[in-house]
Amino acid sequence: MLQVSYIRENREKVLERLSVKNFKQPELVDEIISLDEERRQTQSQLDSTSAEANSIAKQIGELMRQGQKEQAEGLKAKSPALKERVKELGDKLASLEEKLQSQIVLLPNLPHTSVPKGVSAEDNEVAFEYGEKPSLPENALPHWELAAKYDIIDFELGNKITGAGFPVYKGKGAKLQRALINFFLDHAEEAGYREMQPPIVVNEASGFGTGQLPDKEGQMYHVGIDNLYLIPTAEVPVTNLYRDVILKEEELPVKNCAYTPCFRREAGSYGAHVRGLNRLHQFDKVEIVQISHPEKSYDILEEMSAHVQSLLKKLELPYRVLRLCGGDMSFTSALTYDMEVWCAAQARWLEVSSVSNFETFQSNRLKLRFKGKEGKTQLAHTLNGSALALPRIVASLLENNQTEKGIRIPAALVPYTKFEWID
């Protein structure tokens, strides 16, 4: 959530940056500024009226102690009107604050100045590309056929138990999942992240704190009777661990990671491009989250991107890094890098990670602050990234490493799988 003081003091800059995200309601900015002005005026009137009421109350007390009852009674006659005015102004202020809040949460985060303009994924910039695309035999199979051939993932069985998008992993397929989770967690620990095991259902306040609500409620699974949400990513509970917290500057950066299952409705997703593991309703992911000093957050973003890239290199997967354009960025992000791996049998790039800096957008909602060495309290910056999401990593590993003998497991993963081949 943007800070209203920043909007008020930087109207033109806010409008210019929002245009990069193709924001279509510039009049909302002026409405917020107008509401804020009325709110501040009302607050000033309430303060002065309350001060007058308090002053009269003190005078009445003093006059009564001095035995000047008649003068005290004269002042008492003013009290009911002042009290009524205080109540009216208080109610008006509460109404204005509620309306201001309902409007300001509709504004997306401002994109960083390095974010390119664009309207869709086609306008994203390729910042870096690594590795050679493998050459596969003519009879190469896509991962969903490989999964059936080696009996390691059963999409139909998952459909029977739950529905489409909920696969069942079997035998070496299940072991590969577990191996990847441990591989990612161990490397996160080596990079200085503390492992957490958070709940996988969250309340409304948590969804609001990290920006999923009210923007993405249609994509989240909602447990109506309890008004709880299944998490779309571990970012939500892990970042919310610090809601309403004031950290010390020397505690920064805070580095946490977590493995969780993730749940996304993916409404409207259909077609060949979402076959197999390409898009699921339930999937496993390791998430890295940092809370940073504002002056260091963009260096940390690069560090987090490098960490994700190191995992892809160890898994011997060709990948590229995209700097997302304004039109393809999330509501909450100020700058996002997407990592895509080459999936050889499908001959297409698949996104496996997003690493984002949210600056103060989430921390303002979370009231996540830190106290500097000079004693000043300010909002921290929050960042997170997938390190990594499993489904498309598995898809790429299966497709890229298929041979006549079977599917080769990358050397770095063998200590975790305890096998070198799926055959």
Side-chain angles (χ1 to χ4, degrees), residues 168-330:
V168 174
Y169 299 87
K170 304 161 68 176
K172 286 187 175 180
K175 290 180 179 180
L176 179 58
Q177 288 281 113
R178 178 158 51 91
L180 282 166
I181 292 165
N182 288 332
F183 177 78
F184 295 148
L185 285 173
D186 283 354
H187 283 80
E189 183 179 16
E190 290 174 11
Y193 292 90
R194 179 176 59 161
E195 184 176 346
M196 312 293 278
Q197 192 173 66
I200 61 172
V201 292
V202 294
N203 54 29
E204 258 186 9
S206 294
F208 175 80
T210 43
Q212 281 70 31
L213 299 176
D215 180 52
K216 296 251 178 343
E217 59 265 63
Q219 292 294 332
M220 297 171 72
Y221 284 99
H222 184 220
V223 185
I225 193 168
D226 298 309
N227 196 27
L228 297 172
Y229 294 83
L230 298 182
I231 62 169
T233 166
E235 164 203 344
V236 181
V238 173
T239 311
N240 270 278
L241 295 172
Y242 299 89
R243 177 160 30 103
D244 298 318
V245 168
I246 299 177
L247 297 164
K248 297 176 182 176
E249 185 173 348
E250 54 266 30
E251 294 179 281
L252 301 176
V254 174
K255 302 174 69 172
N256 290 322
C257 69
Y259 152 70
T260 65
C262 304
F263 304 88
R264 299 182 187 180
R265 293 186 62 241
E266 298 289 5
S269 297
Y270 54 88
H273 67 291
V274 298
R275 285 196 67 178
L277 297 172
N278 288 355
R279 186 159 296 172
L280 300 177
H281 295 305
Q282 177 183 331
F283 60 94
D284 293 320
K285 181 158 67 79
V286 171
E287 189 81 358
I288 53 175
V289 176
Q290 290 208 41
I291 300 168
S292 161
H293 191 289
E295 294 176 2
K296 299 179 180 178
S297 66
Y298 280 96
D299 289 337
I300 286 174
L301 180 66
E302 298 301 325
E303 169 203 308
M304 294 172 73
S305 172
H307 173 73
V308 174
Q309 292 180 57
S310 74
L311 299 175
L312 298 174
K313 288 176 182 176
K314 288 182 173 72
L315 292 176
E316 305 170 31
L317 291 170
Y319 71 88
R320 66 181 185 180
V321 181
L322 303 181
R323 181 183 289 105
L324 297 195
C325 70
D328 198 36
M329 289 176 66
S330 75

Side-chain angles (χ1 to χ4, degrees), residues 347-378:
R348 58 192 294 252
W349 293 100
L350 296 177
E351 179 203 332
V352 293
S353 174
S354 286
V355 182
S356 301
N357 187 350
F358 305 97
E359 297 187 356
T360 61
F361 193 83
Q362 290 182 333
S363 57
N364 191 29
R365 288 171 171 238
L366 294 160
K367 294 183 173 58
L368 166 53
R369 294 155 291 173
F370 72 96
K371 184 172 287 188
K373 294 170 184 175
E374 71 287 350
K376 181 183 177 183
T377 299
Q378 59 181 303

Side-chain angles (χ1 to χ4, degrees), residues 375-396:
K376 181 183 177 183
T377 299
Q378 59 181 303
L379 294 170
H381 280 195
T382 61
L383 307 93
N384 68 52
S386 310
L388 285 154
L390 269 68
R392 294 172 183 176
I393 290 291
V394 171
S396 301

Side-chain angles (χ1 to χ4, degrees), residues 2 7-8 34-35 40 61 66 73 99 112 125 149 175 204 207 212 237 278 290 298 315 318 338 344 358 365 379 418:
L2 300 179
I7 298 170
R8 182 177 67 244
S34 177
L35 280 169
R40 290 190 297 139
Q66 294 174 1
E73 291 296 331
K99 190 171 182 180
H112 187 262
E125 291 182 353
K149 177 180 178 179
K175 290 180 179 180
E204 258 186 9
Q212 281 70 31
N278 288 355
Q290 290 208 41
Y298 280 96
L315 292 176
D338 270 6
F358 305 97
R365 288 171 171 238
L379 294 170
K418 303 296 192 293

